[in-house]
Amino acid sequence: MSVDERAPVLARTVPPPVLPARRPSPGPAKAVVVIAPFALTVALGLWGIRRQNTMWGDESVTYQLAHRDLSQIWHTAQHIDLVHALYYAVMHEIFGLFGGGLLTLRLPSVLAMSLAAAGVGLLGLRLAGPRAGLLAGLVFPLLPQVQKFAQEGRSYAMVCALVTWATYALVAGVSHRARWRWAVYGSTMLLACLLHEFAVLALIAHGVTLVVSRVPRPVLRAWTVAAAGVVAGLLPLAIYSAGQSEQVAWIGVPVRLEYFLVVAVVGVVCALAPLGVRGPIRLSVLALPILVLPGLLLLIASLVKPLFVDRYVLFSNIGIALLLGALMDYFHRRQLSSRIAWIAAVAVLASLVQPSLSLRTPQSRSNNVTAIAAAVREEGRPGDGLLYLSGRHRILTAANPEDTRFLTDLALAQDPVSSNTLAGVELPAQEIAARMLEFDRIVAVRAAGAHSSADPREEAKTSTLRRHFREYGTTHVNGARVTVYVMR
């Protein structure tokens, strides 16, 4: 056989050169990890956002104060709610741009929680890969507590978003060590703390993560400087707001502690698996402290003064979302039975249907100020007297002054706006009693669970009703009862 005849045979037997495998571009994966959680959170946030056009007490306070001008917000904060003054100022500007309706009240929280979901996805991607990041980002908006506060006109969703992105800046700062990254981290954490003081508990969790991860000393030093700046910036607010501690006097026992305990236990179990990829910071070392420590520290503080409320540590849900997303990715990588995985996923989703539906009803909140004000409007007649037991519950009907316009507030000496207060200033006890005797019918509003107060004004109200009036009829609504009294 000639050389020319052998050439085709040799060509067939020589293997083609092995080219290096091309790694998929991280760009598309990163985009999906950001966009999918963001879009899901927006969809869930818009679903039933009006809650049948109702509002509850805390949202009513936001609504009322955000409609005041900035100087009035500042002067009111000198008396009460200083911890939320920045949030009220932000909402005032938003109301000025987009109008002060119910949607405008809640849409900033929807947007903030959507940004938090995108940040959770990026954290999962950085610490455990694209699949874990996507799963974590999708789990986050499904959590009942996240769904609840994504639709609430309060600061907690904004705080959660800021803590999420501060956590991302922390992880990026450990890897790159650029000074500007630590400046971003510190400023983001400070803004979160100024919106709500208890965001500082996330700062403690971050410190524990860095210590356990044994990061290099320059990194720990950079974090210490940033943390010191956050504490220094927060200190004036913490000192002045301490004088308003009576506004959390309503906290008797830990509020909705069960959710925190269940989620913390689930998180600890998840952390037992080898989650994430090896790097300067392991996923479980980041997620577990931010899930457990803030709530645990509030519970310890509650031994001295009750402070634990689940929404104060809403950002803890960042941790459980990361852990659950990484655990599902771990199961996939271990090639566990797909049938079992599908059954578990369907079971989890089915268990979330009822909570998701109930969260979008007026009954999902502790009161319904829209229904309370409507009951006052329906039970009262033009010229009737109006009485609040106690006076601080005047905020329950203040969101829409039209509901009480034809009634006479018997105890009010100075309205909330002109007095730079939430509930106004009341008359002395004797004058309240004298005014009550001038009316044949009085509509009384009493908040659910309210106890008799030793304040002379409240004693004057209840004793005058008991001695000179009889109960004509009572309407029970979510969070209060509205009673009509007639002169004996």
Side-chain angles (χ1 to χ4, degrees):
M1 182 181 294
S2 65
V3 175
D4 292 337
E5 292 174 338
R6 290 198 306 267
V9 177
L10 292 174
R12 287 195 298 269
T13 57
V14 175
V18 178
L19 299 175
R22 291 187 62 187
R23 306 183 76 178
S25 172
K30 189 172 184 179
V32 172
V33 166
V34 171
I35 293 172
F38 184 91
L40 178 60
T41 312
V42 169
L44 291 174
L46 295 178
W47 170 34
I49 189 173
R50 286 185 172 275
R51 289 203 302 277
Q52 301 174 26
N53 292 320
T54 61
M55 190 185 303
W56 83 287
D58 281 11
E59 286 185 306
S60 175
V61 173
T62 299
Y63 186 82
Q64 294 169 52
L65 285 180
H67 276 93
R68 302 182 188 182
D69 62 41
L70 292 177
S71 64
Q72 289 174 324
I73 292 173
W74 173 247
H75 287 112
T76 301
Q78 308 308 303
H79 301 98
I80 193 170
D81 249 5
L82 180 61
V83 292
H84 296 297
L86 177 59
Y87 174 68
Y88 297 144
V90 170
M91 290 304 298
H92 169 82
E93 296 300 327
I94 292 174
F95 279 9
L97 290 172
F98 303 105
L102 192 60
L103 282 177
T104 311
L105 176 69
R106 292 177 181 154
L107 281 175
S109 292
V110 174
L111 179 60
M113 203 65 87
S114 301
L115 291 172
V120 169
L122 283 178
L123 275 169
L125 182 148
R126 192 176 192 103
L127 297 174
R131 187 188 301 111
L134 178 61
L135 291 170
L138 295 176
V139 164
F140 181 76
L142 295 177
L143 298 172
Q145 200 180 41
V146 172
Q147 291 190 56
K148 178 178 181 179
F149 291 101
Q151 293 187 331
E152 196 149 293
R154 297 297 281 173
S155 65
Y156 306 109
M158 291 185 183
V159 172
C160 187
L162 288 167
V163 170
T164 303
W165 285 97
T167 305
Y168 185 80
L170 175 81
V171 174
V174 170
S175 300
H176 297 284
R177 306 187 190 180
R179 289 185 178 180
W180 69 267
R181 293 181 183 275
W182 290 107
V184 170
Y185 168 78
S187 57
T188 307
M189 273 304 307
L190 177 58
L191 185 56
C193 293
L194 293 177
L195 281 172
H196 198 277
E197 291 178 1
F198 288 156
V200 75
L201 298 173
L203 191 70
I204 299 173
H206 290 162
V208 170
T209 293
L210 295 181
V211 171
V212 174
S213 300
R214 297 182 180 179
V215 297
R217 284 188 179 182
V219 171
L220 195 58
R221 190 180 305 116
W223 175 84
T224 303
V225 172
V230 173
V231 173
L234 178 63
L235 198 57
L237 175 63
I239 292 173
Y240 284 108
S241 64
Q244 299 178 358
S245 59
E246 71 278 358
Q247 70 185 81
V248 293
W250 61 272
I251 307 174
V253 296
V255 178
R256 286 179 287 275
L257 176 61
E258 298 82 3
Y259 179 89
F260 168 73
L261 293 178
V262 169
V263 170
V265 170
V266 171
V268 171
V269 172
C270 291
L272 296 177
L275 305 177
V277 296
R278 294 190 178 276
I281 295 180
R282 299 292 301 275
L283 183 140
S284 56
V285 175
L286 175 78
L288 202 56
I290 204 168
L291 169 63
V292 176
L293 272 181
L296 182 61
L297 291 172
L298 274 189
L299 283 174
I300 293 172
S302 295
L303 297 175
V304 179
K305 179 180 177 60
L307 287 175
F308 185 92
V309 181
D310 62 337
R311 59 182 178 266
Y312 293 170
V313 289
L314 177 65
F315 52 82
S316 295
N317 288 281
I318 300 166
I320 189 62
L322 287 171
L323 289 166
L324 288 174
L327 183 66
M328 287 188 285
D329 177 56
Y330 170 74
F331 286 159
H332 185 274
R333 287 187 285 106
R334 293 293 298 269
Q335 298 180 345
L336 298 183
S337 172
S338 59
R339 182 176 298 178
I340 295 176
W342 275 109
I343 292 174
V346 170
V348 170
L349 290 174
S351 69
L352 292 174
V353 170
Q354 182 55 41
S356 297
L357 291 172
S358 63
L359 284 171
R360 288 157 177 84
T361 64
Q363 293 74 28
S364 63
R365 270 59 176 180
S366 58
N367 57 49
N368 181 350
V369 299
T370 308
I372 295 170
V376 171
R377 184 180 64 248
E378 292 170 5
E379 296 298 329
R381 301 173 183 172
D384 284 354
L386 178 61
L387 202 63
Y388 295 92
L389 306 169
S390 66
R392 63 188 178 88
H393 294 133
R394 190 169 281 104
I395 62 173
L396 296 178
T397 62
N400 185 9
E402 291 296 315
D403 291 323
T404 58
R405 185 162 59 94
F406 296 105
L407 306 178
T408 301
D409 193 329
L410 300 177
L412 189 63
Q414 192 176 6
D415 67 86
V417 176
S418 63
S419 63
N420 293 315
T421 61
L422 290 181
V425 177
E426 295 201 328
L427 294 164
Q430 291 182 343
E431 292 186 39
I432 294 174
R435 291 194 70 186
M436 290 173 64
L437 295 176
E438 296 174 3
F439 288 77
D440 294 328
R441 279 173 48 101
I442 294 176
V443 179
V445 179
R446 181 181 280 108
H451 303 289
S452 299
S453 171
D455 185 279
R457 296 177 178 86
E458 302 307 322
E459 291 179 349
K461 295 174 189 176
T462 55
S463 63
T464 303
L465 286 174
R466 186 172 56 251
R467 287 182 296 182
H468 301 284
F469 293 82
R470 63 180 176 85
E471 185 176 323
Y472 179 75
T474 298
T475 301
H476 293 271
V477 292
N478 182 19
R481 65 181 190 268
V482 179
T483 304
V484 176
Y485 289 91
V486 296
M487 184 78 78
R488 292 184 186 274

